[in-house]
Amino acid sequence: MKNKTEDSKLNALEKFHIDSQQWKSSFHLMKDELLFIEELLHSYVFEPDTPNLFERLQDYLERLKTINEYKTRLEGQIVQHENKLGGALECKYGQGDEDVHAEHEQLKANVVNCLQQFQVLKSEVFNYAGGILKKRRPD
């Protein structure tokens, strides 16, 4: 028969696992969006006479690269974290639970930060691009 401490530990670790799965899902979607935005920025659909077009596009591409590298590092950290969660589930006593909890909270803050940075960049790119796309005449 399990005691309340073991049940509480199990519930917390299950919640951490669910969080990790949600982060991985968010990053999977983000990967597709990153590819789309990168293709958009490399395309020739912008009005060529737009002031500072090249500089602006280069800035967006650099920021996109930085965010993608950040996302990749976090994905590796999520895998390591999930491995630690598995180890914590196997541990009979609460040894290291505080470390797992603290690591989870730090990782959560980093994931939220990465996703927010991407949302800001995505919004900037779309707002900028929407005003300078070449106007196509219907044939």
Side-chain angles (χ1 to χ4, degrees), residues 6-124:
E6 288 175 346
D7 285 342
S8 173
K9 172 186 171 182
L10 187 60
N11 289 337
L13 294 176
E14 287 173 350
K15 182 191 176 309
F16 292 168
H17 177 70
I18 290 168
D19 287 348
S20 297
Q21 294 301 309
Q22 289 173 338
W23 299 337
K24 287 168 43 176
S25 177
S26 295
F27 282 157
H28 185 73
L29 176 62
M30 184 178 164
K31 175 183 166 191
D32 293 338
E33 292 177 323
L34 283 164
L35 289 172
F36 172 79
I37 293 171
E38 186 173 1
E39 290 293 322
L40 175 67
L41 294 174
H42 283 294
S43 70
Y44 295 99
V45 297
F46 299 108
E47 290 290 348
D49 59 345
T50 304
N52 300 321
L53 175 65
F54 179 77
E55 292 82 6
R56 181 77 67 110
L57 295 180
Q58 285 305 116
D59 175 60
Y60 289 148
L61 286 168
E62 282 298 315
R63 290 169 57 199
L64 206 62
K65 180 181 174 187
T66 301
I67 289 172
N68 193 33
E69 289 169 354
Y70 188 22
K71 175 190 77 71
T72 301
R73 278 194 316 273
L74 289 173
E75 286 174 320
Q77 291 175 10
I78 290 169
V79 169
Q80 290 176 342
H81 181 62
E82 286 181 318
N83 290 339
K84 288 181 184 176
L85 290 176
L89 278 172
E90 293 175 6
C91 183
K92 290 184 181 180
Y93 308 103
Q95 299 170 338
D97 286 354
E98 297 82 22
D99 292 341
V100 171
H101 183 77
E103 178 183 282
H104 184 82
E105 291 304 315
Q106 182 61 51
L107 188 54
K108 179 179 182 177
N110 290 338
V111 168
V112 167
N113 181 40
C114 182
L115 293 171
Q116 286 176 340
Q117 285 182 28
F118 177 64
Q119 290 303 320
V120 167
L121 177 59
K122 183 169 69 168
S123 178
E124 285 181 36

